[in-house]
Amino acid sequence: MSDATNLASKMDVDEAAIDEGLYSRQLYVLGHEAMRKMATSNVLIVGLQGLGAEIAKNVCLAGVKSVTLYDPEPVSLQDLSTQYFLREEDIGKPRAAAMLPRISELNAYVPVRNLGGKAGQEITADLIQPFQVVVLCNASYKKQLEINDWTHQHGVHFIAAETKGLFGSVFNDFGPKFTCVDPTGEQPLTGMIVSVDKDEEGLVTCLDEARHGLEDGDFVTFTEVQGMEELNGCKPRKVSVKGPYTFTIGDTSSFGDYIRGGIFNQVKMPSILEFKSLRESLQAPDFFITDFAKFERPATLHVGFQALSEYREKHGRLPRPRNAEDAKQFVALAKKLDNDADEKTLEELAYQAMGDISPIAAVIGGFVAQEALKACSSKFHPMIQHLYFDSLESLPSVLPTEDDCRPIGSRYDGQIAVFGKSFQDKIANHRQFLVGAGAIGCEMLKNWSMMGLATGPHATIHVTDLDTIEKSNLNRQFLFRAKDLGKFKSEVAAAAVADMNPELKGHILCKQEPVGQATENVFDDGFFSSLDGVTNALDNVTARVYMDQRCVLYEKPLLESGTMGTKGNVQVVIPHLTESYSSSQDPPEKQALSCTVKNFPNAITHTIEWSRQEFDALFVKPVESVNQYLSEPNYLENSLKYSGQQHDHVEQIVSYLVTNKPLTFEECIVWARLQFEEKFNNAIRQLLHSLPKDHLTSTGQPFWSGPKRAPEPLIFNSADPTHLSFIIAGANLHAFNYGLRGETDPVIFKKVADSVIVPEFSPKSGMKIQINENDPVNQNSTDPDDISELIKKLPPPSSLAGYRLTPVEFEKDDDTNHHIDFITAASNLRAMNYNIPIADRHTTKQIAGKIIPAIATTTALVVGLVCLELYKIIDGKNKLEEYKNGFVNLALPFFGFSEPIAAAKKKFGDTEWTLWDRLEFKDDPTLKEFVAWFKSNHNLDVSMISQGVSMLWSSFTDRKKSAERLPMKFSKLVEHVSKKPIPPHVKHLLVEVMLMDEEGEDVEVPFVLVRI
């Protein structure tokens, strides 16, 4: 008891500020409030085989107050099947103590402790008192009930989880009254309204630019309503949805008459959830369905897992792998609990009970860790209350025998118990190409090392990633440590997993080349022919589409996955069976109209977009123009020929190179102060001069209404921190352009900015303002003489030989470079102009930097699902229904699985084909032979042939050219037309062909490949 109390007092050190550099991507998932709550939570994890290790890893990375481990049992060889914090030399040591040094390195902010204990000593209720969350892994039901009875009574959150082979189970009990603050984690909805009825219903109609997105039972409050002012800042009102643009809010009959304007804001209301204890739940379970195709299975597994516990108690061991006698006894035990339970499923559970495989530990471990974080933070909706998961489809088509599944004294015995030794050999000889070694890549390599992938004598894993390690990676890319900052991801990740499983040493080849056309000499025909499959671990669509095209070309299976916050997806692409990644695409993101961003912002996203454009217009583009003027002969003549705004362009170069070129940092401060005046005062005064506040539209409506907010000019005030931060960031970035040393002391900036004499500004009349997207952009028509006068002011480039300015390269994750500071200040000043609520630096950084929110739990789970599909690829499964595409959202939580979509079938003549088929020409045919082949084999006429950007031949090519080109070999023809030699690594050409049938109709055929 005293030990536990002692430990509790040690835990009283609270971490103050949240390290935004480390937790940046996770903060965009959880928010500061949830992370502050997590930082006061102590978590205990009991049972530290693969599942416990996975949960502990994810919880440590997330940043709770402390993690405590309990498992005094000795490390066995089989633990190495999934426990990547243990090594062979740890065998015989207590599990918790052996893994402690390695897991402690994950997060400097999270102390990890070992609760001690002796082998054979199970956890007891008196040891769990100092903790807010207790997680039991692979504990007997007797122990689960004993501990849960205590936690349910004493307000401690309880989770029990188990994995057995391809099966997993989770139980949650967060107490009789658990408050869930934000069930979905989605951004609160907001929108503009155009009317509110004054009656008992209170029908609200929204602006028809966008659907409101609300659901029945949501709550909203209002701001900026004119007339019915009682709604502004009102208590949250419950919504009843009437249509995509309308909803009711209840009685408004006693309020004032609605005139115009107003914004609704959704309010997230906390909900109270009631959990049953395990004792109660075993009798009346609430099942969380993970796969609707297996709707009946949870009830069977509910009794199956209980029966396993009973079997173990009775026999002192679990049923042996594929042993019919043990399985029979086990099924009889389960049938006593529920006679309707499915016998086949129970039999499989008995066969796999001793199995321990890494992908299942990853799926269940990722899920449980997120549930533990929900318990700590009240953020997101917990799972109610029993989850049962299986991936029986991952078993080999030819099931292993009992003999094949016997332990062989290998680190893979946990996997051999499920798949058999002969399948283990297949895994060891499988060759994969991993594209990307970031968050998904790290998790993938961890699972592959535990599975023993490519450990065979001739097998290799290829990994490529051009990135180096940054601080924000450490929060979820768990193979990296602070000492690795600046090193290549692929190399550090490969070394880390070869340390986890020494059999991988020499079997991982690292590259730093990005995938794309420029590196096809590295990733060439020979490279792809040495692979059995490709796994994407990428963070952008362009590279995904490119790899997808390569996999179609080389007929290789592709495993594709991605995450965003708590959401994740998995797609399997199998040659000649499924569609490819590129077959379907997400709709494009909705872009704000340029006139909205330029003149009529109504949301903070518009002002952030504007400030991001200003960043380029002040510190990047003009500087690049100056450098081009200084380095490219005839730059001005050439650019003036094509540029629509010649005068502005030349004026900019004159300004940056002559009239406003600073020699001291003080001059940079003056420049920034004048920029403030220009952007936030003069430009606004000009806009209000052209479109006064009382301006009416052609139909007599007030112009400044609805989404158009009338702005106010800002008067500079150096005591206002936002005003001053614009000057500080702007002056430092301007100084960076000129190689001048910066400054951060606010006193200097205040003093200089306040002494600047600002020129008087008078708005111009007759200025055209772009009101709609289709209006012409205001272009100054200028006299050519004006331009030549300007050009005379420019020094000849030869007089500044070697002189260059330095453009700013936008980098969001360096907090000292003033980039995000400038964008935040500029965006918020513009928001003040238009009376839009401002955003903090953290929010601005996400929107301006297009940061994808990310958390380790989702990544771990998604990669586990990918590896469950990898088993099927290794087995060579060839039926669509054997594979599963998956989508998860851990916040709700939600799992959805579906069969991949079949490759669409097309036809030309009598030939049926899909995207996987191709027409292949060997031995570098002549153009004449190529054209003749289509005529003689398919009675099709070739009307055009092109390769890359070169048009090789068409039916309207003149006779002389035709006579010259038709006898040429294809490779010679391509070199002749493109005027470039074919690189030596290119062994085939992808050719575009337009074909017509006898009726003159276009005919679509598979892609055409010419081997040269």
Side-chain angles (χ1 to χ4, degrees):
M1 180 70 200
S2 61
D3 280 357
T5 324
N6 192 9
L7 188 63
S9 63
K10 277 189 203 164
M11 291 175 184
D12 284 338
V13 191
D14 272 321
E15 197 57 57
I18 294 168
D19 183 339
E20 290 194 0
L22 175 67
Y23 291 122
S24 151
R25 306 307 189 255
Q26 181 179 295
L27 273 164
Y28 295 123
V29 184
L30 298 174
H32 285 77
E33 188 48 44
M35 282 207 59
R36 271 192 282 274
K37 281 192 190 166
M38 279 160 45
T40 63
S41 301
N42 303 303
V43 179
L44 172 67
I45 296 164
V46 180
L48 293 158
Q49 289 163 303
L51 174 62
E54 183 64 43
I55 297 165
K57 176 260 285 177
N58 293 326
V59 172
C60 281
L61 290 172
V64 293
K65 184 174 174 184
S66 75
V67 170
T68 303
L69 310 174
Y70 184 84
D71 191 342
E73 297 307 312
V75 174
S76 70
L77 179 65
Q78 183 166 329
D79 291 343
L80 302 184
S81 290
T82 52
Q83 226 291 24
Y84 44 86
F85 289 118
L86 298 175
R87 305 290 178 264
E88 267 188 47
E89 60 269 24
D90 296 322
I91 292 173
K93 297 177 189 169
R95 276 193 204 115
M99 73 179 279
L100 188 68
R102 290 188 190 94
I103 194 166
S104 299
E105 295 174 349
L106 283 182
N107 189 341
Y109 294 107
V110 179
V112 185
R113 303 185 182 84
N114 173 13
L115 200 51
K118 293 187 176 68
Q121 184 185 341
E122 290 193 273
I123 193 82
T124 51
D126 58 339
L127 290 173
I128 63 178
Q129 291 172 17
F131 302 98
Q132 283 72 46
V133 184
V134 174
V135 183
L136 298 189
C137 299
N138 294 318
S140 67
Y141 270 78
K142 192 175 164 188
K143 184 52 70 179
Q144 289 180 36
L145 287 163
E146 176 200 325
I147 298 295
N148 179 247
D149 287 346
W150 189 90
T151 59
H152 192 78
Q153 219 177 345
H154 291 87
V156 173
H157 306 99
F158 173 90
I159 305 172
E162 295 182 67
T163 58
K164 302 278 182 260
L166 288 162
F167 296 90
S169 120
V170 182
F171 169 75
N172 270 355
D173 170 18
F174 293 177
K177 280 199 170 98
F178 177 77
T179 305
C180 172
V181 177
D182 176 0
T184 66
E186 300 296 333
Q187 284 295 322
L189 298 163
T190 181
M192 284 179 230
I193 61 174
V194 290
S195 73
V196 184
D197 292 355
K198 184 177 170 177
D199 56 24
E200 287 177 8
E201 286 258 281
L203 183 77
V204 178
T205 305
C206 299
L207 195 67
D208 59 6
E209 274 186 1
R211 294 162 177 257
H212 55 64
L214 295 165
E215 294 177 5
D216 284 343
D218 285 345
F219 285 81
V220 293
T221 181
F222 296 85
T223 51
E224 298 183 29
V225 176
Q226 293 175 39
M228 202 180 272
E229 262 98 15
E230 294 89 340
L231 286 180
N232 292 331
C234 66
K235 274 189 180 161
R237 296 179 74 107
K238 198 171 186 178
V239 162
S240 176
V241 173
K242 298 298 174 199
Y245 304 101
T246 53
F247 57 88
T248 57
I249 53 167
D251 194 352
T252 55
S253 51
S254 62
F255 294 174
D257 290 341
Y258 176 85
I259 300 172
R260 75 169 67 88
I263 292 170
F264 80 80
N265 294 296
Q266 183 190 8
V267 180
K268 296 281 183 98
M269 302 294 277
S271 55
I272 308 291
L273 304 175
E274 189 181 334
F275 286 82
K276 293 185 284 202
S277 69
L278 179 60
R279 210 169 277 285
E280 217 182 316
S281 273
L282 287 179
Q283 303 312 312
D286 290 311
F287 294 133
F288 168 74
I289 306 291
T290 56
D291 187 342
F292 289 93
K294 302 173 179 175
F295 199 75
E296 307 299 327
R297 206 162 281 175
T300 295
L301 293 178
H302 186 62
V303 294
F305 273 90
Q306 290 176 67
L308 267 186
S309 201
E310 207 180 311
Y311 184 98
R312 187 180 207 155
E313 215 161 287
K314 201 168 164 184
H315 298 274
R317 60 167 174 81
L318 287 165
R320 288 165 295 187
R322 299 267 151 206
N323 180 287
E325 187 49 43
D326 286 6
K328 194 175 161 189
Q329 288 182 25
F330 164 74
V331 171
L333 278 177
K335 287 281 196 179
K336 273 188 204 160
L337 293 169
D338 176 5
N339 200 34
D340 297 333
D342 177 58
E343 213 159 302
K344 283 233 76 55
T345 307
L346 290 172
E347 205 170 70
E348 261 324 318
L349 181 58
Y351 286 160
Q352 298 182 34
M354 287 181 73
D356 186 13
I357 62 171
S358 185
I360 290 287
V363 170
I364 303 297
F367 184 85
V368 170
Q370 189 65 57
E371 295 301 304
L373 298 180
K374 292 174 186 179
C376 299
S377 67
S378 306
K379 175 99 174 188
F380 307 140
H381 198 290
M383 184 272 294
I384 309 277
Q385 271 188 273
H386 289 272
L387 168 149
Y388 292 101
F389 178 86
D390 75 82
S391 182
L392 288 180
E393 316 75 43
S394 298
L395 283 172
S397 305
V398 178
L399 291 173
T401 60
E402 183 181 357
D403 201 42
D404 203 23
C405 291
R406 285 186 210 285
I408 56 168
S410 131
R411 64 176 299 133
Y412 309 116
D413 279 353
Q415 189 164 256
I416 288 169
V418 178
F419 291 95
K421 172 71 177 75
S422 43
F423 193 77
Q424 183 63 44
D425 294 341
K426 279 189 180 179
I427 295 172
N429 292 313
H430 188 79
R431 303 161 302 176
Q432 272 284 333
F433 178 25
L434 179 64
V435 191
I440 288 176
C442 281
E443 292 288 335
M444 200 70 69
L445 286 169
K446 171 258 288 182
N447 282 311
W448 290 357
S449 78
M450 294 294 99
M451 288 161 65
L453 190 86
T455 51
H458 307 298
T460 305
I461 293 169
H462 295 271
V463 189
T464 192
D465 194 314
L466 77 162
D467 277 352
T468 53
I469 297 162
E470 297 169 7
K471 185 179 179 182
S472 67
N473 302 151
L474 303 179
N475 171 235
R476 63 199 183 288
Q477 301 179 17
F478 88 109
L479 298 178
F480 309 144
R481 304 285 175 269
K483 66 178 174 19
D484 301 320
L485 293 178
K487 296 178 186 170
F488 281 111
K489 286 183 176 180
S490 59
E491 288 178 359
V492 175
V497 294
D499 180 50
M500 286 175 180
N501 180 359
E503 291 182 21
L504 267 179
K505 283 197 169 74
H507 288 265
I508 306 182
L509 292 183
C510 302
K511 293 184 170 61
Q512 282 80 46
E513 284 88 358
V515 290
Q517 284 180 326
T519 55
E520 285 178 7
N521 59 327
V522 179
F523 307 115
D524 57 11
D525 292 18
F527 175 81
F528 274 93
S529 67
S530 74
L531 300 175
D532 296 312
V534 175
T535 301
N536 275 352
L538 289 158
D539 61 358
N540 68 88
V541 172
T542 313
R544 284 183 164 112
V545 168
Y546 173 78
M547 280 317 295
D548 180 59
Q549 290 164 347
R550 300 305 277 172
C551 287
V552 170
L553 175 65
Y554 292 111
E555 299 173 273
K556 299 292 175 191
L558 171 67
L559 289 164
E560 167 57 59
S561 58
T563 72
M564 186 170 80
T566 57
K567 302 183 183 98
N569 71 289
V570 177
Q571 184 181 352
V572 200
V573 178
I574 305 293
H576 301 285
L577 193 62
T578 70
E579 65 173 17
S580 79
Y581 171 77
S582 313
S583 302
S584 55
Q585 275 166 348
D586 291 337
E589 279 182 45
K590 200 177 170 197
Q591 299 288 327
L593 301 175
S594 63
C595 57
T596 303
V597 172
K598 195 173 174 190
N599 296 316
F600 311 114
N602 57 54
I604 197 71
T605 49
H606 300 154
T607 67
I608 292 171
E609 173 67 21
W610 175 87
S611 61
R612 185 70 187 81
Q613 290 172 7
E614 286 298 314
F615 181 92
D616 284 348
L618 291 171
F619 311 115
V620 185
K621 286 175 181 160
V623 177
E624 287 172 346
S625 295
V626 166
N627 288 349
Q628 283 172 303
Y629 167 73
L630 293 173
S631 61
E632 293 174 21
N634 307 327
Y635 169 69
L636 283 181
E637 295 87 277
N638 294 338
S639 69
L640 295 187
K641 240 186 271 175
Y642 304 112
S643 167
Q645 296 175 311
Q646 296 106 323
H647 184 271
D648 293 355
H649 195 83
V650 179
E651 199 169 46
Q652 222 172 34
I653 298 176
V654 172
S655 165
Y656 275 68
L657 199 52
V658 185
T659 46
N660 292 313
K661 179 183 170 186
L663 298 172
T664 63
F665 185 71
E666 198 169 294
E667 288 175 52
C668 296
I669 301 175
V670 174
W671 175 87
R673 170 66 188 89
L674 294 174
Q675 288 299 323
F676 179 99
E677 201 65 22
E678 164 56 34
K679 309 287 177 203
F680 308 111
N681 186 303
N682 301 354
I684 301 297
R685 283 165 60 193
Q686 178 63 59
L687 182 62
L688 290 172
H689 178 77
S690 303
L691 295 164
K693 286 194 176 181
D694 55 4
H695 186 68
L696 299 176
T697 64
S698 52
T699 57
Q701 296 297 312
F703 176 83
W704 294 105
S705 63
K708 292 188 172 65
R709 305 167 75 86
E712 283 290 338
L714 295 182
I715 309 298
F716 180 73
N717 172 11
S718 63
D720 184 315
T722 310
H723 292 216
L724 195 65
S725 64
F726 176 85
I727 306 292
I728 294 173
N732 274 292
L733 289 168
H734 196 56
F736 177 87
N737 287 155
Y738 291 92
L740 297 170
R741 196 162 152 241
E743 178 58 73
T744 50
D745 180 358
V747 179
I748 297 168
F749 289 90
K750 270 188 177 167
K751 189 178 156 202
V752 176
D754 285 338
S755 67
V756 174
I757 296 161
V758 177
E760 192 52 49
F761 172 76
S762 302
K764 296 188 185 102
S765 291
M767 282 273 285
K768 278 288 285 170
I769 304 288
Q770 188 190 9
I771 293 171
N772 297 311
E773 198 63 6
N774 303 331
D775 292 356
V777 179
N778 188 33
Q779 297 209 349
N780 306 337
S781 52
T782 37
D783 186 347
D785 292 351
D786 259 12
I787 294 181
S788 52
E789 280 304 309
L790 272 175
I791 291 174
K792 279 180 193 163
K793 293 183 184 175
L794 285 172
S798 56
S799 68
L800 291 166
Y803 179 75
R804 298 287 182 275
L805 302 187
T806 313
V808 173
E809 276 186 46
F810 178 61
E811 169 47 63
K812 58 189 177 287
D813 283 320
D814 177 353
D815 290 343
T816 62
N817 65 10
H818 303 287
H819 298 190
I820 295 295
D821 296 336
F822 176 84
I823 290 167
T824 305
S827 164
N828 285 341
L829 289 169
R830 189 158 172 86
M832 291 170 189
N833 278 143
Y834 284 88
N835 194 22
I836 296 166
I838 64 173
D840 60 13
R841 186 183 188 281
H842 180 69
T843 307
T844 306
K845 174 176 164 175
Q846 183 188 5
I847 298 167
K850 295 185 164 62
I851 292 174
I852 305 289
I855 188 166
T857 48
T858 316
T859 312
L861 192 153
V862 162
V863 171
L865 294 176
V866 170
C867 293
L868 291 172
E869 297 305 306
L870 176 59
Y871 286 129
K872 303 172 186 178
I873 287 173
I874 295 170
D875 190 40
K877 293 187 188 300
N878 56 9
K879 291 194 186 77
L880 210 54
E881 61 273 16
E882 294 177 309
Y883 291 96
K884 282 188 186 287
N885 287 347
F887 173 77
V888 297
N889 184 342
L890 292 189
L892 302 175
F894 171 81
F895 283 70
F897 293 101
S898 62
E899 262 178 37
I901 296 171
K905 290 190 165 71
K906 299 178 183 180
K907 223 174 177 187
F908 72 96
D910 297 326
T911 309
E912 202 174 56
W913 61 282
T914 72
L915 66 102
W916 295 99
D917 294 301
R918 70 274 329 266
L919 299 174
E920 205 166 314
F921 291 81
K922 293 193 167 62
D923 305 328
D924 199 6
T926 64
L927 179 57
K928 189 176 180 181
E929 289 165 349
F930 182 86
V931 173
W933 185 88
F934 282 100
K935 190 69 184 163
S936 60
N937 285 281
H938 297 284
N939 199 17
L940 295 173
D941 291 317
V942 177
S943 58
M944 195 185 293
I945 305 170
S946 59
Q947 198 278 321
V949 292
S950 305
M951 157 84 83
L952 302 179
W953 182 83
S954 76
S955 50
F956 47 82
T957 302
D958 64 52
R959 273 195 170 163
K960 189 176 167 219
K961 265 192 192 165
S962 255
E964 181 189 9
R965 292 182 182 183
L966 283 165
M968 281 186 179
K969 290 272 194 191
F970 231 93
S971 54
K972 291 286 169 283
L973 175 63
V974 168
E975 292 185 329
H976 169 74
V977 177
S978 68
K979 299 186 172 47
K980 279 192 285 202
I982 294 173
H985 68 270
V986 174
K987 302 284 185 277
H988 63 255
L989 300 167
L990 268 175
V991 182
E992 303 283 326
V993 188
M994 286 180 73
L995 297 157
M996 292 194 312
D997 60 18
E998 288 168 306
E999 279 83 54
E1001 295 290 323
D1002 287 343
V1003 175
E1004 196 185 352
V1005 297
F1007 66 88
V1008 177
L1009 208 58
V1010 174
R1011 301 268 173 202
I1012 56 173

